[in-house]
Amino acid sequence: MLNSIATLSCLESSTPIRSRAAEEGSIQIPLWSVPLILVVLYVCLFSGLGAFGLVGPDEPRYAAIARAMVETTTG
């Protein structure tokens, strides 16, 4: 019982959380860091796009073989 009273007394505060956060100040980001962050994100996200093709170089050949097999099959 004594432990729960101590916990409740810690939770009670004279000022709400929002007003205490406003008193601490806001985060200031330097203006030069915005283009730097954008360049780093661009390099990380778009540098490897051409590494793997959506369709491999042999896929059209495999499709042509399968199409020819279907056309020549007597059914």
Side-chain angles (χ1 to χ4, degrees), residues 47-60:
S47 63
L49 282 181
F52 296 105
L54 295 177
V55 178
D58 293 330
E59 287 297 323

